[in-house]
Amino acid sequence: MAAANYLQSEDQFLCSICLDVFTDPVSTPCGHNFCQNCITDHWNTNDQYLCPLCKEGFTRRPDMKVNTLFSEIVAQFRQSAQQKASSSSSEQQVSKPGEVPCDVCTGTKLKTLTSCLVCLVSYCETHLEPHRTMSGLKRHQLIDPVENLEGRMCTEHDKPLELFCKTDQTCVCMLCTVLDHKTHDVVPLKEEYEGKKAELGKTEAEIQQMIQKRRLKIQEIKQSVDLSEKTADREIAEGVQVFTSLKESVERGLNELINTIKEKQKTTEKQAKAFITELEQEISELMKRRTEVEQLSRSEDHLHLLQRVQSLNIQQPPPTKNWTEVSVRPSSYEGTVVKAVVQLEETISKEMKKLLEAELKRVQQYAVDVTLDPDTAHPNLILCDDGKQVNDSDLRKNLPDNPERFFEYASVLGKQSFSSGRFYFEVQVKGKTKWELGVARESINRKGDIPLAPQNGYWTIWLRNGNEYRALAGPGVLLSLKSPPQKVGVFGDYEEGLVSFHDVDAAALIYSFTGCSFTEKLFPYFSPCNNDCGKNSAPLIISPVRVN
């Protein structure tokens, strides 16, 4: 009996595909329930076997069997709902606002059970009895309760509206068909009703499918929010860990600085104290000698004075140190603070390197296979057969000037395009004195002399003169790099409006374009620049991504 009372809410017994109470419910391996026919039809019309709710995929079509216990619970729920509906119907006999009242009842109007299109009268259950028993009335057409039965009569001929004029799209009576609608396409009302009902059924099914798609979209959005929340929590945890470590490093460095200064001060004080103690001892000895000399000088006994002077050896003063060159110099703290800050900077640099390495690993997860598109390549460029290398020949080939081809810049695009999500690829630039890399939108001008800048559809960086790096942000931004990159990673996030460049070997961020607004397809952009008489003959090479 506990099962019969379990989950009394109707929503718990609705199939998420047909939006009706379950019929022969079956369970997927991920634990979600569907009507057996619904999930079967769903998988028959899709190439992949995915759960419509959680999107979990199955390598082969699961063997679905009816969930016997759940099927019994659904049956009990259906029976309980029908009993409640029947009970409610018997209890609510008196007509309420919004319900059709019986036309025959006098005094208290009871609720109409059905309406008669022949009598043009609505009857409650009691007054409907003659239509159930009398042979003449049994032939009358009964319909669900409706108000304004007079509206079902032709206002012009006072005849029932039994036909439908397809030409004028209106209901007509028999006389209308021989008068105003004589040449029109007229069909029985029931025939048009069946056709419209079929159309409505189809529309209802389409709406139901739209509702289902939106429910699934809600689930997808909720899952995206959950994933985003987990990512945010992870980023916060990492940030707290990093900043806590930095805070501890700063506090540790400050404590070490204070202790170093205090130790130096203690050493100075200890030295000064030792000198003062020694000086005080000498002063004590000298004061003692002074007292003896003072007392002797007051003696009037000639013999005693001479003998005493001889024994005191006045000409030889007490043994003392020559303090002329002795001094206590204040401790020097020059460079102490600078050294502590340098050590802190080294610690921060190490933490920063860890973060950049982690960031590089993160973006490398979005690696895509990029190949060069020969239809876009400038006539001077030479592409390898596998579409992974390009260099300039200084010789112009005779190629058709198709709309996709660059004719001003020695450039080429990748075949792959991106209009959503994230992407990442790596390019070897070793041995080159100049190059250009980045992404470009589909509608860029490929024929004219258009500066590389975001407003013209380019998000790129370049190398010139062997050591001059710039981000072509319009105007250009001079980049200060610790070492020349040998391999450059390009990362893009379409929705975030981000394009960033990384030194793969050093795991260092070179530059980021942020706050971009992408509305078109983006293509990888490459330019090995001119050969420069062999000085810049090394190719640009699209390299396979290997996580460090």
Side-chain angles (χ1 to χ4, degrees):
M1 292 302 294
N5 296 324
Y6 183 64
L7 291 179
Q8 293 300 313
S9 172
E10 183 179 359
D11 291 341
Q12 304 294 331
F13 297 93
L14 296 183
C15 171
S16 61
I17 295 178
C18 68
L19 306 179
D20 204 349
V21 178
F22 286 109
T23 302
D24 296 332
V26 296
S27 299
T28 59
C30 57
H32 293 113
N33 297 312
F34 305 92
C35 297
Q36 188 175 43
N37 289 338
C38 291
I39 191 64
T40 300
D41 293 341
H42 177 76
W43 281 341
N44 285 342
T45 57
N46 290 276
D47 297 329
Q48 296 178 316
Y49 301 125
L50 301 177
C51 173
L53 279 178
C54 68
K55 301 297 184 183
E56 181 175 349
F58 310 108
T59 55
R60 62 184 184 82
R61 185 166 181 159
D63 184 14
M64 308 296 290
K65 294 182 179 179
V66 175
N67 189 327
T68 306
L69 177 59
F70 189 60
S71 181
E72 291 176 357
I73 295 174
V74 172
Q76 290 175 3
F77 172 81
R78 195 190 301 272
Q79 182 179 2
S80 175
Q82 291 173 349
Q83 289 174 351
K84 287 181 180 179
S86 175
S87 174
S88 175
S89 175
S90 62
E91 292 173 358
Q92 299 177 2
Q93 293 297 318
V94 178
S95 175
K96 295 181 179 179
E99 295 179 340
V100 180
C102 176
D103 293 330
V104 183
C105 288
T106 58
T108 302
K109 294 282 188 179
L110 298 182
K111 185 175 68 173
T112 291
L113 182 64
T114 186
S115 298
C116 178
L117 291 178
V118 178
C119 303
L120 296 180
V121 175
S122 294
Y123 299 102
C124 65
E125 186 171 6
T126 302
H127 293 117
L128 181 64
E129 189 63 25
H131 281 74
R132 292 173 173 170
T133 57
M134 297 177 65
S135 59
L137 297 178
K138 283 183 179 181
R139 292 193 294 273
H140 287 193
Q141 186 177 356
L142 302 178
I143 61 173
D144 290 335
V146 293
E147 293 181 316
N148 189 24
L149 285 169
E150 292 78 5
R152 296 177 173 269
M153 301 295 290
C154 178
T155 57
E156 187 174 352
H157 305 111
D158 198 26
K159 296 291 183 182
L161 297 172
E162 300 175 311
L163 302 170
F164 184 82
C165 175
K166 286 192 169 186
T167 305
D168 292 338
Q169 290 292 300
T170 185
C171 296
V172 297
C173 68
M174 290 297 295
L175 288 178
C176 290
T177 60
V178 297
L179 297 173
D180 299 337
H181 300 265
K182 185 176 182 179
T183 60
H184 293 182
D185 183 10
V186 177
V187 296
L189 204 63
K190 184 177 181 181
E191 179 180 330
E192 184 66 18
Y193 162 82
E194 295 293 341
K196 292 296 183 185
K197 189 173 182 180
E199 290 180 9
L200 290 174
K202 183 179 179 182
T203 302
E204 182 184 4
E206 291 174 352
I207 294 174
Q208 227 174 26
Q209 188 175 11
M210 291 172 66
I211 292 172
Q212 175 60 18
K213 286 182 178 179
R214 280 150 183 78
R215 285 187 172 179
L216 294 176
K217 179 57 70 175
I218 289 174
Q219 292 291 334
E220 180 184 331
I221 292 172
K222 286 182 177 179
Q223 289 175 357
S224 297
V225 171
D226 291 341
L227 179 61
S228 178
E229 184 178 3
K230 291 178 182 178
T231 303
D233 290 342
R234 184 177 65 250
E235 290 294 324
I236 290 173
E238 291 178 359
V240 169
Q241 181 180 359
V242 170
F243 278 90
T244 300
S245 177
L246 291 176
K247 180 182 176 182
E248 291 173 352
S249 297
V250 171
E251 292 176 348
R252 187 167 53 251
L254 177 59
N255 291 334
E256 290 176 356
L257 172 64
I258 293 172
N259 291 335
T260 299
I261 294 174
K262 285 184 176 181
E263 285 299 323
K264 285 188 176 183
Q265 179 62 17
K266 284 182 180 179
T267 301
T268 301
E269 291 175 355
K270 184 177 180 181
Q271 185 185 34
K273 186 176 181 180
F275 286 158
I276 290 172
T277 300
E278 191 174 353
L279 284 167
E280 287 176 343
Q281 289 176 351
E282 289 190 2
I283 289 171
S284 178
E285 291 295 330
L286 289 171
M287 289 179 68
K288 181 180 179 182
R289 176 63 64 89
R290 186 188 69 178
T291 300
E292 290 176 351
V293 171
E294 183 180 1
Q295 291 176 351
L296 185 59
S297 66
R298 294 174 182 173
S299 176
E300 294 181 359
D301 186 340
H302 301 164
L303 179 60
H304 174 73
L305 186 146
L306 293 173
Q307 289 176 341
R308 188 62 179 157
V309 167
Q310 189 67 27
S311 64
L312 288 176
N313 194 9
I314 301 261
Q315 286 75 16
Q316 294 292 331
T320 57
K321 182 187 291 186
N322 182 3
W323 294 91
T324 306
E325 302 296 331
V326 176
S327 65
V328 176
R329 296 181 179 179
S331 298
S332 173
Y333 302 110
E334 293 181 6
T336 305
V337 176
V338 173
K339 182 180 179 182
V341 172
V342 169
Q343 290 177 343
L344 179 61
E345 185 179 13
E346 291 176 355
T347 301
I348 293 176
S349 295
K350 290 178 181 178
E351 292 295 330
M352 192 66 184
K353 184 172 179 60
K354 291 179 183 177
L355 286 176
L356 291 173
E357 288 175 350
E359 176 67 11
L360 181 60
K361 288 181 180 179
R362 186 183 69 83
V363 299
Q364 285 178 329
Q365 296 176 4
Y366 301 100
V368 294
D369 185 19
V370 174
T371 53
L372 302 172
D373 185 356
D375 292 336
T376 67
H378 186 275
N380 283 20
L381 298 184
I382 300 174
L383 276 61
C384 287
D385 293 339
D386 61 0
K388 297 293 185 180
Q389 297 186 31
V390 59
N391 65 309
D392 186 84
S393 65
D394 277 345
L395 296 175
R396 194 178 187 91
K397 298 188 290 294
N398 185 18
L399 296 175
D401 185 11
N402 52 287
E404 297 85 7
R405 192 178 305 284
F406 287 93
F407 254 63
E408 184 67 28
Y409 294 126
S411 307
V412 61
L413 297 180
K415 288 183 178 180
Q416 293 71 23
S417 64
F418 311 100
S419 55
S420 64
R422 303 178 179 97
F423 57 88
Y424 175 83
F425 58 92
E426 293 179 352
V427 183
Q428 180 178 306
V429 296
K430 182 178 180 180
K432 296 193 67 59
T433 59
K434 48 187 173 181
W435 47 259
E436 298 163 6
L437 284 177
V439 297
R441 68 185 179 212
E442 187 174 22
S443 64
I444 52 172
N445 187 325
R446 312 183 190 199
K447 307 302 180 182
D449 184 9
I450 305 297
L452 301 183
Q455 59 265 32
N456 297 325
Y458 295 90
W459 292 266
T460 59
I461 62 173
W462 76 11
L463 166 67
R464 291 292 186 271
N465 305 320
N467 59 4
E468 181 185 327
Y469 296 90
R470 280 185 185 274
L472 306 180
V477 178
L478 185 63
L479 305 176
S480 178
L481 306 183
K482 291 183 178 180
S483 60
Q486 303 298 302
K487 186 183 293 183
V488 176
V490 182
F491 172 71
D493 188 327
Y494 197 94
E495 285 76 16
E496 195 69 22
L498 170 69
V499 178
S500 60
F501 300 85
H502 303 260
D503 183 337
V504 177
D505 297 324
L509 178 65
I510 297 175
Y511 186 79
S512 289
F513 291 91
T514 59
C516 309
S517 179
F518 302 131
T519 57
E520 302 178 23
K521 292 180 180 178
L522 296 179
F523 290 83
Y525 172 83
F526 310 84
S527 176
C529 298
N530 60 355
N531 187 282
D532 200 12
C533 299
K535 295 179 183 178
N536 189 39
S537 61
L540 290 177
I541 304 175
I542 302 173
S543 307
V545 176
R546 296 183 177 88
V547 179
N548 293 331

